Amino acid sequence: MEQTKIQIFVKDIEENLMALMVDPDTTIAQVRSRVAQKVHADQSANVFLFHRGKRLQASKSVADSGIKNGHTVVMNLKFPGGLSFKNFCACNSLTKS
């Protein structure tokens, strides 16, 4: 029996939305890899995904993470040294003052 694909949205670091069609049993690691390719991240390990305020675990499936058709996942990037994109922007704005 073939599973029905669902459409999920990923909000990137610039607040743009990208749509992905995935099977509910697709792992978060697989979603993260697809997102990394689209945003040209060096490695998918530098891409973090969040849903409803919680960081998603790479080994879990989309369905196990509670993501349903039409849901939005938020992406964050980690830079070398462990600084995230959002923290980098906050630090950068402080040094420009």
Side-chain angles (χ1 to χ4, degrees):
M1 185 167 119
E2 192 170 316
Q3 284 189 318
T4 304
K5 289 191 182 276
I6 61 170
Q7 183 177 40
I8 62 171
F9 299 94
V10 179
K11 185 185 287 189
D12 69 15
I13 57 177
E14 295 175 342
E15 306 267 331
N16 298 314
L17 285 177
M18 67 180 89
L20 296 176
M21 295 299 291
V22 298
D23 290 318
D25 63 350
T26 300
T27 66
I28 297 303
Q30 292 168 318
V31 173
R32 198 170 66 185
S33 178
R34 287 178 59 187
V35 170
Q37 289 173 354
K38 287 183 180 269
V39 299
H40 307 291
D42 291 338
Q43 298 176 344
S44 65
N46 293 329
V47 174
F48 295 100
L49 300 176
F50 296 83
H51 182 249
R52 297 185 175 174
K54 293 185 180 178
R55 183 171 160 190
L56 299 174
Q57 296 178 12
S59 61
K60 289 195 172 186
S61 72
V62 169
D64 291 340
S65 299
I67 302 169
K68 300 188 184 319
N69 191 46
H71 281 195
T72 299
V73 173
V74 178
M75 179 189 85
N76 196 357
L77 288 176
K78 182 176 80 170
F79 290 107
L83 193 61
S84 73
F85 180 80
K86 290 183 181 185
N87 291 337
F88 172 78
C89 291
C91 291
N92 200 25
S93 67
L94 290 174
T95 59
K96 290 183 180 179
S97 304

